Amino acid sequence: MISDHEQYMELALIEAQKAEQREEVPIGAVLVSQTGDVIANAHNQTITKTDPTAHAEIIALRRGAQKLGNYRLLNTSLYVTVEPCIMCMGAIIHARVSEVIFAAPDPKWGGAGSLYDFSVDLRLNHGTQIISGVCCNQSKQLIQNFFRSKRGH
């Protein structure tokens, strides 16, 4: 039986595949309300938009805030195929997202436990619960295949 976390992560993986089709790093994100409604979904668009902040998480947060009419995304969950980077974790904390569920860790840029862990820094005004490893293998495979094809291996 597929858990709710896996169900939403599958939607994020579909978003990641959209990024890959556009030659973007295949990362997808889905913002979900407390009642289980999908508020927003997005994929990386840094190349398409020539915008270094156009990460899947940032775009999903922006769309969610617009839809809800509030930058505070209280009682929401953000599903991401790769651990949010330090920039995205900053935005997630500012938006007051309740929990982040990610698939694969990012040891080079991860801001939710791999490199830094902003989610538990008591100096910040908000904490975010982190759940990792949901559909990890699928996400890792997608990322690894993408970079292998870029390197010509």
Side-chain angles (χ1 to χ4, degrees):
M1 189 161 111
I2 295 177
S3 73
D4 285 347
H5 287 322
E6 290 171 330
Q7 176 186 348
Y8 293 118
M9 191 62 74
E10 289 290 337
L11 296 175
L13 284 163
I14 290 168
E15 288 296 318
Q17 290 165 352
K18 290 177 187 177
E20 181 181 43
Q21 291 165 0
R22 294 178 172 183
E23 301 290 318
E24 298 273 1
V25 175
I27 298 175
V30 175
L31 184 66
V32 178
S33 74
Q34 186 176 27
T35 59
D37 296 320
V38 173
I39 299 168
N41 51 15
H43 55 274
N44 272 5
Q45 296 182 50
T46 57
I47 297 166
T48 305
K49 293 183 178 284
T50 57
D51 178 355
T53 69
H55 289 198
E57 301 93 322
I58 299 292
I59 295 169
L61 294 175
R62 287 177 180 157
R63 288 177 179 168
Q66 292 255 310
K67 185 172 183 178
L68 297 177
N70 192 339
Y71 79 93
R72 289 185 173 137
L73 301 171
L74 303 169
N75 302 314
T76 60
S77 300
L78 185 65
Y79 290 82
V80 189
T81 58
V82 174
E83 178 182 359
C85 72
I86 54 180
M87 173 186 70
C88 291
M89 278 304 295
I92 287 163
I93 290 166
H94 277 294
R96 293 166 177 78
V97 172
S98 297
E99 66 180 349
V100 172
I101 301 92
F102 69 85
D106 184 349
K108 292 184 180 180
W109 283 97
S114 291
L115 186 61
Y116 294 101
D117 193 350
F118 290 174
S119 69
V120 295
D121 191 328
L122 298 178
R123 297 170 295 176
L124 300 173
N125 69 334
H126 178 72
T128 300
Q129 181 182 353
I130 302 295
I131 299 170
S132 62
V134 177
C135 301
C136 182
N137 291 336
Q138 293 160 275
S139 181
K140 275 185 181 179
Q141 192 71 43
L142 191 61
I143 289 283
Q144 288 171 348
N145 290 345
F146 175 79
F147 284 111
R148 275 191 198 112
S149 72
K150 291 292 178 196
R151 292 184 197 111
H153 293 98

